[in-house]
Amino acid sequence: MENQDKIICSELFQKQRKVEVVLYPAVLAWKEIEKSSKRSSGTSESEHGQTVKVCEIVAVHKTEDEADAQPRSHPKRINQPSQQYPHAFTVSYVRRTRQHLWRCADVTFHCADQQICEQWVQVINEQLSLLTNRPKNLLVYINPYGGKRRGERIYEQKVAPVFRQAGIFTDVIVTERANHARDHLKMEANLDDYDGVVCVGGDGMFSEILHGLVTRIQTDHGVDQNQPDAELVPCSLRIGIIPAGSTDCICFATQGTNDPVTSALHIVVGDSQPMDVCSVHHNGVFLKYSVSLLGYGFYGDVLTDSERNRWLGPARYDLSGFKTFLSHNYYGGTVSFLPADDNVGHPRDKLQCRSGCRICQHKHSSKDEHDEASEEKEKPAEDSDRGWNVIHGKFIAINSASMSCACPRSPKGLSPSAHLADGTTDLILVRKCSRLDFFRHLLRHTNNDDQFDHWFVEVHRVRKFRFEPWHPDLAPLEDASEHPESPDLSPISSLQETYDDRTAESSWNCDGEILHHTAIQVSVQCQLIRLFARGIEEQQDAEVAV
Ligand SMILES: CCCCCCCCCCCCC/C=C/[C@@H](O)[C@H](COP(=O)(O)O)NC(=O)CCCCC
Ligand SMILES: Nc1ncnc2c1ncn2[C@@H]1O[C@H](COP(=O)(O)OP(=O)(O)O)[C@@H](O)[C@H]1O
Ligand SMILES: [Ca+2]
């Protein structure tokens, strides 16, 4: 960096070392300039200094407390250089640790001159105030009931201190009932007062915030959500997720971890990650939005069963997962889908969506999308099915993953290469197969093997899809698509005897909420919302240059 780029440069004192500290427009850098004679480690002086991106500085403050201002390792020594440097300021910044975890680290610089100390604090604060993407006012909703019921404690102990340190003002609402947050956002909240909304809870709680916010924006703009082809208005407020639920898939899949402090820091630095939203309709009536999993069959049944055991907390999913696996139900139906264009890749191309993903950035301009939508509306009725594929079959699971759906149970997720903001969803069809085969498929969600590499699994990247369960009277007696060489070798097939796949229906799991209709039409709304996140960072991005 050139000399003229320097905003301020001083010789200061840090941990018994004299350092040259320089603030550039985008970077704070410090480097030892004089080897301390008192250093006991005997290690050679570091050639390279340390740097922190200005956009990752959380706060700077004058270190008022004497104890903080003095280096702590040698409190009794007199004639320490620290005595010549009685003034100090502390810079708090984002430090990356393992596995996408972020922590707030402090570095304290000591100076001889009070004015220089104050000048540093002022100049760094001025640089921070230029970062216009940082939120100043947030509306926080806490679900005290989700996950292990620790939402309030997590917020008070881990998140509120970080917001305070960063000077963020918050209005906090602890919900008193299901849909409290949704209704408040829809009808009461004065959205102009805030730069973002924070959700403390799991995927179900996120779904409440999503519905409240998206519905409010559409109402304010006179958009009718019941029209499946309506052009929805994107939300200007970003949403932050503090994970305090049972699966926390939306948080995990957008930042690589479900850690509350990491989430708080992504909010503080003002990250922005666009995200697709699926709109779900039944016969032209709006049902729900979904951002992660829409699952019929296995994941619908797991969710239905798990709600009866909510008292078990997150473990309810393990119990219900096991029971649902044993019951080995399958469901007849017809799936139709509109494939995505080739330029968004394929679910098996192993191109994972990461921070700054090129596929997501390549999204069609809004104009193109608008033209496409109008074109579709103008088509004559007999053409409206053009380009659609239709599959009839018996399915153990029909999953639509609009993002990877990575979570602690499955760190690579249901569709490891799904993208957060490409305007598509990955439609995974798991046909009727043996229990052992289905077990192998499930197991592959937890290791490096390809979960799509089975004869009974197919996956398509789509922009829209529809599902129609087989009507009992109209259902074909045999499904021609079944694999002839893979009979169900289940040792406990007696469990199946009373199960009639011609009449049975499952339910849809929509981001952890049950849908009350089985026949649905789904359409992906490209980049309808934005999160305080940046996608999962590649390992080299994660290293702070030193
Ligand atoms: C032999 C071991 C097999 C293990 C297979 C595990 C596969 C797990 C894939 C999980 C995908 C989860 C997708 C996200 C769903 C959530 O939206 C939903 C609600 O979350 P929350 O509100 O935080 O409770 N969670 C679920 O539906 C739970 C699915 C658990 C399945 C075992
Ligand atoms: N105060 C409350 N009392 C009861 N239920 C609530 C409350 N606030 C939110 N909910 C509901 O709790 C459900 C689960 O919330 P969530 O935070 O996703 O936890 P989990 O991940 O454990 O399912 C959601 O359906 C949400 O609507
Ligand atoms: Ca997507």
Side-chain angles (χ1 to χ4, degrees), residues 243-316:
S246 299
T247 313
D248 297 326
C249 148
I250 304 164
C251 179
F252 197 97
T254 51
Q255 65 185 31
T257 181
N258 58 336
D259 172 65
V261 174
T262 305
S263 291
L265 290 168
H266 280 287
I267 296 170
V268 164
V269 301
D271 274 346
S272 182
Q273 171 66 51
M275 213 161 71
D276 296 338
V277 176
C278 285
S279 57
V280 186
H281 288 78
H282 168 80
N283 289 343
V285 176
F286 170 73
L287 295 182
K288 278 259 184 207
Y289 293 115
S290 160
V291 295
S292 59
L293 168 68
L294 257 171
Y296 184 80
F298 184 72
Y299 291 101
D301 294 353
V302 170
L303 187 68
T304 305
D305 186 74
S306 72
E307 281 303 311
R308 291 179 211 124
N309 294 310
R310 196 162 250 287
W311 59 273
L312 274 175
R316 70 190 185 279

Side-chain angles (χ1 to χ4, degrees), residues 167-348:
I168 294 176
F169 297 100
T170 52
D171 284 330
V172 180
I173 296 177
V174 180
T175 62
E176 288 164 12
R177 57 175 174 85
N179 293 325
H180 179 173
R182 183 198 67 183
D183 296 345
H184 186 259
L185 274 168
K186 246 197 219 177
M187 289 171 294
E188 282 177 59
N190 187 355
L191 299 184
D192 295 338
D193 290 348
Y194 304 104
D195 307 306
V197 178
V198 174
C199 159
V200 184
D203 295 345
M205 185 61 183
F206 177 87
S207 175
E208 275 201 32
I209 306 289
L210 169 77
H211 284 83
L213 211 47
V214 174
T215 304
R216 170 73 173 271
I217 306 279
Q218 307 321 308
T219 312
D220 288 354
H221 287 83
V223 176
D224 179 4
Q225 297 180 105
N226 285 322
Q227 301 299 323
D229 287 328
E231 202 181 331
L232 300 180
V233 178
C235 295
S236 51
L237 290 190
R238 282 167 285 172
I239 309 176
I241 311 173
I242 306 296
S246 299
T247 313
D248 297 326
C249 148
I250 304 164
C251 179
F252 197 97
T254 51
Q255 65 185 31
T257 181
N258 58 336
D259 172 65
V261 174
T262 305
S263 291
L265 290 168
H266 280 287
I267 296 170
V268 164
V269 301
D271 274 346
S272 182
Q273 171 66 51
M275 213 161 71
D276 296 338
V277 176
C278 285
S279 57
V280 186
H281 288 78
H282 168 80
N283 289 343
V285 176
F286 170 73
L287 295 182
K288 278 259 184 207
Y289 293 115
S290 160
V291 295
S292 59
L293 168 68
L294 257 171
Y296 184 80
F298 184 72
Y299 291 101
D301 294 353
V302 170
L303 187 68
T304 305
D305 186 74
S306 72
E307 281 303 311
R308 291 179 211 124
N309 294 310
R310 196 162 250 287
W311 59 273
L312 274 175
R316 70 190 185 279
Y317 288 134
D318 301 317
L319 176 67
S320 299
F322 184 62
K323 281 168 69 184
T324 307
F325 168 75
L326 285 185
S327 61
H328 199 57
N329 290 340
Y330 52 88
Y331 302 94
T334 300
V335 183
S336 321
F337 61 87
L338 189 61
D341 301 338
D342 290 342
N343 61 8
V344 287
H346 186 271
R348 297 184 68 182

Side-chain angles (χ1 to χ4, degrees), residues 142-154 200-201 244-246 309-314 316:
I142 304 177
N143 178 1
Y145 171 79
K148 295 182 181 162
R149 302 186 182 219
R150 291 191 190 145
E152 280 178 278
R153 217 180 328 152
I154 288 173
V200 184
S246 299
N309 294 310
R310 196 162 250 287
W311 59 273
L312 274 175
R316 70 190 185 279

Side-chain angles (χ1 to χ4, degrees), residues 508-536:
W508 283 96
N509 173 340
C510 177
D511 293 357
E513 305 292 308
I514 296 285
L515 289 186
H516 297 295
H517 291 275
T518 46
I520 58 170
Q521 300 87 49
V522 179
S523 175
V524 187
Q525 311 288 328
C526 191
Q527 305 194 1
L528 189 65
I529 58 167
R530 284 184 303 146
L531 298 189
F532 285 111
R534 58 173 64 174
I536 298 175

Side-chain angles (χ1 to χ4, degrees), residues 275-277 291 360 401-404 418-426 461 524:
M275 213 161 71
D276 296 338
V277 176
V291 295
C360 293
S402 301
M403 55 169 71
S404 71
H419 289 270
L420 290 169
D422 63 343
T424 76
T425 182
D426 287 355
R461 187 154 287 173
V524 187

Side-chain angles (χ1 to χ4, degrees), residues 42-56:
T43 53
S44 64
E45 187 177 347
S46 162
E47 282 295 317
H48 311 287
Q50 294 197 41
T51 59
V52 168
K53 292 179 187 160
V54 170
C55 62
E56 294 184 358

